[in-house]
């Protein structure tokens, strides 16, 4: 358990600047997830913490030590790679034991540790196999085992689950969560899967183009986004983000008008980006059962329904509002006709407003 | 019915076009092969119009000839020494030119280091004769550095000649190994080295535990191929030392040549040639089996 401080971290690849000053402060035992679109610099950040990539500017410290100049093995970290990077010529046992063997630990102690970790990860029957004879999920567990036997202060994961199918991914996700509860190590975990980010993280760091867009708890990121980017990034299907005009009583969305409270700074006639999650747009006909004190549904507006997607427990309702394609939700048993106009009701209490120019939140 | 015939003709067409080439190649290979084996069973071939059939007598003579055995031993030394030399130098240089240095410098070194491969044996032999000459550059440098007082006759001293020959052969032959390993090295995933680095491996541990296991199939195949080539290598040896001084560097291939074109004992020469053929064939079978297993 170590705290990790990343201060003003900069990475240059030749003339290309991949990171523009990253600041993250991770508490001991915290599970920190880096998310963001492809190429935003997640792996680069992680690899600089690991010592696999040189640091062009700024500082990384693990525990109380600045580790900028230290080699990977001196940093007290272990890393799990996306493609597992198991040694193909070594057995599972030797894959896991390798780092201990290199550190000249006595054989019986190595044996004890490897067997203990193998037991936790249910790898005991596989110890004599080579990685080539393992399934994807088993390889993944060996890669984690290899990291765990070293009892590192910090775990680094780079998209460890992205090569697994959806079901296995779900299982391994739960397993990683359990391991973290048990071992209480500090973890930095890179993914572009927002479900992984939401379920695993104590802290989510959203990156974009080499900068941090927002960081906070999963709740904060999901329910209190600072920017249009964060609002649109988290959540599936994504939040509806529509360009509206402010009216004295609310918003003008396409041809219809929605009555609602708008932030104080906004005056009638100004343009604003309104963000509202699909969960907060429902057919007016649903409204009776679902209403709680926490919602404030507007008077419904009647819109053409383009498409209904059946997901099982719920249905996605695709409709048009003016030029905007929007998505709402309804229960899986509700029947609605495609192609016909239908009144939809917006829960404006949970709408977000953003400045169209700076894309920053207006509170 | 007609469709099967048409199918056969369409399938057969490419082979039909290959036919002339196959016939010529086959004839060029099989006729001399057959002739050599035949010669080894007769006495006084070529020099006499009607050679006498002697069965395996030539082989008997050969197996009791100390010259043959010494040439065999030299061949063994030369082959094993050369292959080892090629391997060690080839792997070492492949690691060096695979290093993460400026791309331009890397290309430069890669092309420079392949050069020994592209010279013909004549040029290589002549060059090294000049370099290793008692009044040549190497002796000059050794004396200047104070390592020797007297110039050494590298190619003329029976105790040194084989070592000098191995040096020449190593220099001449490492590029093939280097190039093969270089392409092998580039297939080793970078993540493996990174994982090893995090596990605490230094340069040698990474080499032993990551690089070598990944290269093992390449090493085996390339070593066998090199063995087959070096075993019957003729021009470089003949042009560098001519098998001398005395018989100090006489190998089976130079022995064959000497018997045939210096002593005109074509039957004996054919017999030695057949013995080379048998051993080479054994190595080749090993090599082919290895390749088949890799596929
Ligand atoms: N070795 C390199 N040389 C030059 N540019 C690089 C190098 N490695 C990464 N980059 C660049 O740095 C930026 C960040 O890359 P990085 O691998 O950190 O992205 P990422 O967030 O991990 O993306 P992904 O989700 O696709 O893995 C990218 O623009 C990439 O092109
Ligand atoms: Mg990445």
């Amino acid at each position: 358990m170590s705290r990790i401080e990343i201060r003003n971290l900069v990475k240059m690849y030749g003339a290309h600047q991949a990171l523009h000053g990253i600041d993250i402060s991770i508490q001991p035992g915290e599970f920190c997830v880096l998310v963001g679109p492809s190429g935003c610099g997640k792996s680069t950040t992680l690899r600089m913490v690991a010592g696999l990539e040189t640091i062009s500017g700024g500082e990384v410290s693990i525990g109380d030590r600045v580790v900028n100049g230290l080699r990977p093995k001196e940093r007290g970290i272990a890393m799990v790679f996306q493609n597992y990077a198991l040694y193909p010529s070594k057995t599972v046992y030797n894959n896991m034991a390798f780092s201990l063997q290199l550190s000249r630990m006595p054989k019986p102690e190595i044996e004890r540790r490897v067997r203990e970790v193998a037991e936790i990860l249910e790898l005991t029957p596989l110890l004599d196999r080579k990685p080539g004879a393992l399934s994807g999920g088993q390889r993944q567990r060996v890669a984690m085992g290899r990291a765990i036997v070293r009892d590192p202060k910090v775990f680094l994961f780079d998209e460890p689950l992205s090569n697994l199918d959806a079901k296995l991914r779900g299982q391994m996700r739960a397993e990683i969560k359990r391991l973290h509860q048990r071992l209480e190590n500090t973890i930095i975990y890179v993914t572009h899967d927002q479900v992984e980010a939401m379920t695993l993280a104590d802290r989510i760091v959203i990156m974009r183009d080499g900068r941090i867009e927002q960081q906070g708890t999963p709740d904060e990121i999901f329910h209190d986004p600072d920017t249009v980017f964060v609002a649109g990034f988290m959540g599936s299907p994504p939040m509806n983000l529509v360009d509206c005009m402010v009216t004295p009583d609310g918003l003008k969305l396409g041809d219809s008008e929605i009555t609602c409270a708008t932030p104080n700074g906004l005056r009638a006639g100004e343009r604003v980006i309104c963000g509202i999650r699909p969960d907060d747009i429902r057919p007016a006909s649903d409204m009776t059962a679902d209403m709680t004190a926490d919602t404030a549904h507007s008077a419904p507006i009647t819109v053409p329904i383009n498409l209904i997607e059946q997901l099982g427990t719920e249905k996605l309702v695709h409709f048009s509002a003016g030029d905007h394609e929007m998505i709402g939700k309804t229960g899986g048993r509700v029947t609605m006709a495609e192609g016909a106009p239908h009144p939809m009701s917006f829960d404006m209490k949970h709408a977000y407003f953003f400045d169209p120019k700076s894309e920053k939140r207006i509170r | 019915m007609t469709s099967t015939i048409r199918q056969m003709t369409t399938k057969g067409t490419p082979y039909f076009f290959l036919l002339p080439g196959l016939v010529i190649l086959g004839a060029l290979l099989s006729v001399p092969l057959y002739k050599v084996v035949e010669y080894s069973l007769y006495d006084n071939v070529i020099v006499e119009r009607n050679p006498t059939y002697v069965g395996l007598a030539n082989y008997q003579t050969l197996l009791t000839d100390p010259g043959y055995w010494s040439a065999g031993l030299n061949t063994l030394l030369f082959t094993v020494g050369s292959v080892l030399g090629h391997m060690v130098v080839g792997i070492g240089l492949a690691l060096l030119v695979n290093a993460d240095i400026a791309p331009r410098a890397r290309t430069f070194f890669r092309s420079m280091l392949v050069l020994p491969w592209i010279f013909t044996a004549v040029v290589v032999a002549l060059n090294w004769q000049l370099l290793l000459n008692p009044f040549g550059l190497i002796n000059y440098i050794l004396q200047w550095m104070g390592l020797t007082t007297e110039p050494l006759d590298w190619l003329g001293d029976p105790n040194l000649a084989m070592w000098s020959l191995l040096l020449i052969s190593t220099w001449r032959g490492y590029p093939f190994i280097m190039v093969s390993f270089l392409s092998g090295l580039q297939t080793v995933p970078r993540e493996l080295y990174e994982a090893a680095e995090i596990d605490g491996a230094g340069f040698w541990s990474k080499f032993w535990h990551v690089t070598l296991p990944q290269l093992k199939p390449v090493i085996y195949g390339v070593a066998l191929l090199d063995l087959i080539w070096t075993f019957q290598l003729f021009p470089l040896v003949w042009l560098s030392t001519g098998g001398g001084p005395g018989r100090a560097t006489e190998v089976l291939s130079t022995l064959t040549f000497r018997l045939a074109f210096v002593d005109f004992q074509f039957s004996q020469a054919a017999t030695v040639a057949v013995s080379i053929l048998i051993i080479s064939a054994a190595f080749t079978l090993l090599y082919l089996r290895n390749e088949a297993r890799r596929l």
Side-chain angles (χ1 to χ4, degrees), chain B:
Chain B
M1 187 63 201
T2 45
S3 77
T4 23
I5 291 175
R6 192 176 311 130
Q7 219 175 8
M8 271 170 64
T9 43
T10 38
K11 272 196 179 162
T13 313
Y15 295 100
F16 178 72
F17 285 118
L18 276 176
L19 208 60
L22 286 177
V23 167
I24 293 173
L25 259 181
L28 283 177
L29 259 174
S30 58
V31 172
L33 204 65
Y34 169 75
K35 276 290 177 196
V36 166
V37 176
E38 192 189 7
Y39 286 167
S40 74
L41 302 174
Y42 284 82
D43 201 11
N44 289 327
V45 285
I46 300 182
V47 283
E48 290 220 354
R49 192 171 291 272
N50 292 311
T52 38
Y53 178 79
V54 294
L56 293 174
N58 284 330
Y59 289 90
Q60 213 167 5
T61 322
L62 198 67
L63 290 177
T64 52
D65 175 8
Y68 176 75
W69 286 109
S70 112
L73 187 67
N74 280 341
T75 310
L76 190 73
L77 274 176
F78 177 70
T79 309
V80 172
S82 297
V83 172
L84 277 180
H86 295 162
M87 287 288 154
V88 171
V89 176
I91 293 184
L93 289 177
L95 284 176
L96 278 180
V97 295
N98 192 46
D100 209 1
I101 54 171
R104 241 183 236 175
R106 200 162 48 192
T107 315
F108 173 77
F109 284 121
R110 282 184 189 178
S111 6
M112 288 310 283
L113 287 169
V114 181
L115 282 184
W117 208 13
I118 64 173
F119 294 119
T120 56
V122 187
V123 177
V124 174
L126 264 177
N127 247 319
W128 278 99
Q129 272 179 0
L130 289 175
L131 285 171
L132 292 170
N133 190 285
F135 307 105
L137 187 64
I138 289 181
N139 273 306
Y140 177 77
I141 292 175
L142 286 177
Q143 278 172 300
W144 178 72
M145 286 168 64
L147 290 173
T148 55
T149 45
E150 293 288 298
L152 294 169
D153 191 358
W154 291 99
L155 290 168
D157 183 334
N159 293 321
L160 293 177
M162 183 51 93
W163 294 106
S164 310
L165 193 61
L166 281 177
L167 172 73
I168 300 173
S169 157
T170 298
W171 184 84
R172 160 79 168 164
Y174 79 79
F176 170 71
I177 311 284
M178 185 189 82
V179 170
S180 307
F181 281 138
L182 198 53
S183 57
L185 283 177
Q186 280 156 2
T187 64
V188 183
R190 200 173 63 147
E191 278 194 344
L192 280 187
Y193 288 112
E194 295 180 341
E197 214 159 285
I198 287 181
D199 275 345
F203 176 82
W204 286 111
S205 304
K206 278 193 270 185
F207 182 71
W208 273 115
H209 295 280
V210 179
T211 311
L212 268 191
Q214 293 276 303
L215 288 184
K216 217 160 72 186
V218 185
I219 292 176
Y220 193 64
V222 165
L224 270 176
L225 207 56
D226 196 23
L227 209 65
I228 296 165
W229 288 342
T230 316
F231 184 74
Q232 46 196 335
L233 188 71
F234 170 72
L236 194 71
V237 183
W238 185 253
L239 294 165
S240 301
T241 64
R247 294 288 165 93
T249 58
E250 185 86 294
V251 290
L252 291 176
S253 60
T254 55
L255 179 65
T256 314
F257 185 85
R258 188 188 308 283
L259 285 172
F261 301 110
V262 178
D263 303 341
F264 299 112
Q265 297 182 4
F266 289 103
S267 299
Q268 284 297 316
T271 316
V272 179
V274 170
S275 76
I276 296 178
L277 177 72
I278 290 169
I279 301 172
S280 296
F283 286 141
T284 309
L285 277 180
L286 261 181
Y287 175 74
L288 290 178
R289 255 199 13 215
N290 178 53
E291 288 300 296
R293 208 178 43 214
R294 268 170 67 186
L295 299 177

Side-chain angles (χ1 to χ4, degrees), chain A residues 187-204:
Chain A
I187 294 181
I188 305 183
Y189 186 105
V190 166
T191 180
H192 56 238
D193 181 326
Q194 41 159 317
V195 182
E196 272 172 40
M198 289 297 290
T199 51
L200 290 173
D202 297 320
R203 169 202 303 274
I204 294 180

Side-chain angles (χ1 to χ4, degrees), chain A residues 1-4 26-30 62-64 76 151-155 180 182-187:
Chain A
M1 262 153 295
S2 286
R3 65 181 296 119
I4 302 173
I26 303 166
Q27 300 307 313
E30 198 171 26
I62 298 175
D64 307 323
D151 193 18
K153 289 176 281 184
V154 174
F155 275 117
H180 178 237
R182 176 174 175 152
L183 303 170
E184 300 183 322
N185 300 56
T186 314
I187 294 181

Side-chain angles (χ1 to χ4, degrees), chain A residues 234-256:
Chain A
M234 295 306 259
S236 171
M239 184 187 284
N240 298 290
L241 290 158
V242 289
D243 200 348
C244 307
M245 191 159 51
V246 180
T247 62
D249 308 321
L251 296 172
K252 192 165 162 66
L253 175 62
D255 305 329
S256 330

